[in-house]
Amino acid sequence: MSTSSEDLPTYEDIVAASKTIAGVAHHTPLATSRILDTKLGVRVFLKCENLQRMGAFKIRGGYNAISHYMKDDSFDFKGVLTYSSGNHAQAIALSGGLLNVNTTIIMPKDAPPLKVEATKSYGGSVIFYDRYTENRDEVAIKVKKTLPDGTVFIPPYDHKYVIAGQGTCGKEIFEDLQHWKGTYNDAQTEEAIALDYLFVCVGGGGLIAGISLAAAAISPNTKIIGVEPEAGNDAQQSMAAGKIITIETPRTIADGAQTQHLGNLVFPIMQKHVSKIVTVTDEELIEDMKFFGQTMKMIVEPTGCLGLAGLRKMVASGEVPKGSNCGVLISGGNVDLERYCKLISSGSG
Ligand SMILES: *Cc1c(COP(=O)(O)O)cnc(C)c1O
């Protein structure tokens, strides 16, 4: 499906996006945990996009993309159509509400109810489809015919201005670490910190593509590691094959990463700037949901736990040496409380 923005984003687009979203999206904090650092033997900085407005980083890309079309005089912009399993839907609905733009969102009928309700409450019109039997691109083409001319399709990840928007959260991480003030091993520290690794969850790849572009410009020695669910390792397969591999919709609790393939814009950026992709199991995600809740007093959705689970795995395997500085992206916190309780009371520990 055409997006009318098919050239690759650059770091300059991320800088511009930062200005566009300033005062709309939160500049989220970097959190640390002595317990975690001691346990892993590395120094960890957690970027808390679970504390982002509407509960996930997606507001960055959604708001940036809609703002882009509002500034475009070449056509009569009439509204936005998109599809999403949840957080991009909310981001588009909320951004549309803030910018006074009509939004129509195609959602899987088994999307988490909290995400569906939130999308409606922000003013988005929701249309349901069956993600296991219907092709959402085909559904989108059908729905678009019913909407006014001048309606633009903004996909969840494969879009220049979505990627640039998501990249702003990488820019914030590296900039905040350039003059880091915090407590480490009970001592107040004020120093520049260079990340050796940054762990980022991968769904369609918009987030990691944007962050890896920011890293390449600001912190080129940082290795960007993608983390995806074991049940859906299409990114790992694609990087190994050198081409985009499509898989069946994976069955995993990480609903933000139930994508079937990476995006065409995202993939070349990942090939250039992402060092490695690791996979983790649903059980490992649950362990980290418990850690975030118990130790850090944060509700993190399953997909948001991918980054930390990936870091744990590479520390355990010895691939991340002791003493490394590691960034972890916590991508979101949108999970129904009932589902959250069920998940954290399942499994061991
Ligand atoms: C969308 C989303 C992801 C995946 O982002 P992509 O840009 O599709 O790779 C991860 N976590 C959360 C919470 C999300 O909403």
Side-chain angles (χ1 to χ4, degrees):
M1 174 155 256
S2 151
T3 64
S4 79
S5 296
E6 292 181 342
D7 50 329
L8 293 180
T10 63
Y11 179 62
E12 283 62 47
D13 295 313
I14 297 175
V15 174
S18 284
K19 294 190 181 117
T20 300
I21 67 165
V24 178
H26 299 314
H27 184 133
T28 53
L30 283 174
T32 57
S33 160
R34 198 163 71 116
I35 292 176
L36 184 63
D37 289 356
T38 306
K39 178 122 197 275
L40 296 183
V42 298
R43 207 166 161 188
V44 188
F45 299 88
L46 302 152
K47 176 67 167 170
C48 298
E49 287 294 296
N50 55 311
L51 305 178
Q52 184 50 269
R53 194 159 176 193
M54 65 93 343
F57 69 88
K58 293 277 198 329
I59 182 78
R60 296 172 183 268
Y63 192 88
N64 190 50
I66 297 184
S67 301
H68 163 73
Y69 291 113
M70 292 183 72
K71 284 181 260 173
D72 185 344
D73 304 326
S74 69
F75 73 113
D76 189 14
F77 179 44
K78 278 283 195 272
V80 175
L81 170 66
T82 194
Y83 46 54
S84 164
S85 62
N87 286 332
H88 177 67
Q90 289 179 67
I92 290 294
L94 175 57
S95 303
L98 294 170
L99 292 165
N100 215 1
V101 167
N102 287 329
T103 57
T104 305
I105 293 110
I106 300 167
M107 298 184 82
K109 63 183 185 202
D110 60 337
L114 184 76
K115 294 185 179 181
V116 176
E117 280 321 304
T119 303
K120 287 182 180 165
S121 79
Y122 294 136
S125 309
V126 175
I127 295 174
F128 291 107
Y129 82 110
D130 183 340
R131 69 168 122 190
Y132 298 106
T133 62
E134 285 179 284
N135 177 307
R136 66 180 184 175
D137 284 309
E138 283 162 21
V139 176
I141 290 165
K142 246 186 259 165
V143 173
K144 191 158 187 288
K145 287 190 182 133
T146 68
L147 297 170
D149 288 347
T151 301
V152 173
F153 181 73
I154 302 181
Y157 49 86
D158 212 23
H159 186 288
K160 178 179 177 179
Y161 295 96
V162 172
I163 297 169
Q166 320 306 31
T168 60
C169 88
K171 181 171 177 286
E172 288 174 17
I173 295 173
F174 295 115
E175 288 179 352
D176 289 354
L177 286 174
Q178 277 166 13
H179 38 82
W180 170 256
K181 288 188 186 63
T183 304
Y184 187 61
N185 280 349
D186 295 333
Q188 286 295 324
T189 58
E190 191 166 337
E191 58 183 308
I193 289 170
L195 288 185
D196 301 304
Y197 300 89
L198 176 54
F199 288 79
V200 183
C201 49
V202 182
L207 178 64
I208 196 169
I211 287 179
S212 69
L213 276 177
I218 314 176
S219 184
N221 293 328
T222 302
K223 290 195 175 65
I224 307 297
I225 313 292
V227 189
E228 65 183 348
E230 201 171 274
N233 72 331
D234 61 292
Q236 196 175 49
Q237 290 184 42
S238 303
M239 295 282 273
K243 61 172 199 230
I244 298 172
I245 304 283
T246 299
I247 57 168
E248 292 287 300
T249 299
R251 301 205 182 232
T252 164
I253 59 169
D255 51 87
Q258 281 184 307
T259 39
Q260 292 179 267
H261 55 81
L262 297 170
N264 292 321
L265 297 181
V266 159
F267 188 56
I269 299 173
M270 287 181 66
Q271 282 182 302
K272 200 161 168 200
H273 298 303
V274 174
S275 299
K276 186 184 171 78
I277 308 277
V278 295
T279 63
V280 299
T281 63
D282 282 0
E283 288 70 34
E284 289 169 307
L285 297 179
I286 290 171
E287 285 313 304
D288 281 333
M289 287 178 80
K290 290 182 194 173
F291 164 77
F292 283 128
Q294 178 72 55
T295 305
M296 303 210 67
K297 325 305 167 198
M298 296 199 296
I299 294 181
V300 178
E301 62 182 281
T303 318
C305 295
L306 282 165
L308 181 57
L311 169 62
R312 282 191 203 275
K313 193 158 194 172
M314 279 183 62
V315 166
S317 70
E319 283 170 280
V320 167
K322 299 285 173 196
S324 302
N325 288 327
C326 301
V328 167
L329 201 290
I330 305 177
S331 55
N334 289 332
V335 51
D336 287 78
L337 213 43
E338 202 183 318
R339 179 163 180 254
Y340 178 79
C341 292
K342 260 195 212 134
L343 287 170
I344 61 167
S345 54
S346 68
S348 58

